[in-house]
Amino acid sequence: MHKVLITGITGFLGSHVAESLISNNIQVIGLKRKDSNIWRCEEFKDKIQWVDIDEKGLFVDELKKYSFDTVIHGAWIGVESNTRNDWNEQSKNIPFLVSLLEVIKIVDVKKFIFLGSQAEYGNIDGKISEDYKPNALNAYGGIKLACLEIVKAFCETNDINWIWLRLFSLFGEKENQNWLIPSLIASMLTDEQMDFTPGEQKYAYLYVKDYTSIMNKIVTMSIESGVYNVSSNQTRTIKSLVEDIRDYINPKFILNFGALNYRDNQSMHIEGNIMKLSSQIGEIELTDYKKALYNSLNYYLKI
């Protein structure tokens, strides 16, 4: 029986992973701040062993009292776009990581899973594999890469299985309200039109429920240490995604594609090659795109 510590458990991804693990009878410990809003975990909060970070940001001594064999480290300071290039803010993630590594050595953790990002690659234009040379272009990606070196060195010298997941675009229920899909829905329900770029960018959108299926396998299966892309293998243009949302939410809403210019160095094709991950966990089955999208849209329409 696995017992998993999740940091970032109250966030979009962490809450979905926790719910999925619990439904598969895997014990979950959740690390959170005392003032964290646990609304995403409300339906299963009583099935989580909660550990609070104290007022000083300390948690090491408290976590040492627990026993767990796997860590999913998803907590990150400075996720929102306005802090992505704030080096002071992003660098706060390093001491947090080091404190967590201090715990896992004492508790005798066997597997350490870190949620990295496609941002580590920098500008992407195509379907890329893990041997694509990282070239972070902001503080967020740069600090992620620094953490990768820390994790790799620490885990290899302490004989801990480490899995670094480079996450590409995800969507689904319980996203932040200012993210793409919830914000589009809000506009389409209250406004008459909206300006866009031409919308030709192709992204590989992965449904969050498919992501949790992948995480279940990574937790329970034997995986070689290393860096792995986590991405859908199906791309969709921004234009087609927005049109599908419009058609479902408000067919009369006017989409002004081409009214805005692309930003400088706009990536037109962002997709991760997932063959390396598939070689470890088997073929990755994806939910039908329209079903996944409508599940998400119906969720936001009800709240």
Side-chain angles (χ1 to χ4, degrees), residues 4-5 7 68-75 96-105 109-115 147-148 150-152 154-156 159-165 215 218-219 223-226 228:
V4 182
L5 169 71
T7 74
F68 45 93
D69 59 89
T70 302
V71 173
I72 299 173
H73 183 32
F96 184 84
L97 170 63
V98 172
S99 295
L100 187 60
L101 292 175
E102 179 185 335
V103 173
I104 72 171
K105 183 178 179 181
V109 163
K110 304 300 182 187
K111 183 180 290 185
F112 187 76
I113 303 166
F114 192 110
L115 304 190
C147 289
L148 170 57
I150 294 169
V151 168
K152 181 180 178 181
F154 182 91
C155 290
E156 291 189 352
D159 196 28
I160 298 169
N161 180 213
W162 63 276
I163 293 128
W164 186 278
L165 303 177
M215 291 299 288
I218 291 172
V219 166
I223 310 290
E224 292 180 7
S225 292
Y228 296 91

Side-chain angles (χ1 to χ4, degrees), residues 4 27 34 40 78 88 116 131 147 152 157 164 196 199 208 217 222 232 241 243-244 266 278 282 290:
V4 182
Q27 293 179 290
K34 284 188 175 181
R40 290 184 173 96
N88 286 325
D131 57 8
C147 289
K152 181 180 178 181
T157 56
W164 186 278
F196 296 89
V208 71
K217 292 183 177 182
S222 178
S232 171
L241 173 65
E243 288 175 336
D244 287 340
Q266 172 69 56
S278 298
K290 283 290 179 72

Side-chain angles (χ1 to χ4, degrees), residues 220-236:
T220 58
M221 297 175 68
S222 178
I223 310 290
E224 292 180 7
S225 292
V227 176
Y228 296 91
N229 289 336
V230 178
S231 170
S232 171
N233 58 9
Q234 302 168 2
T235 60
R236 196 156 299 276

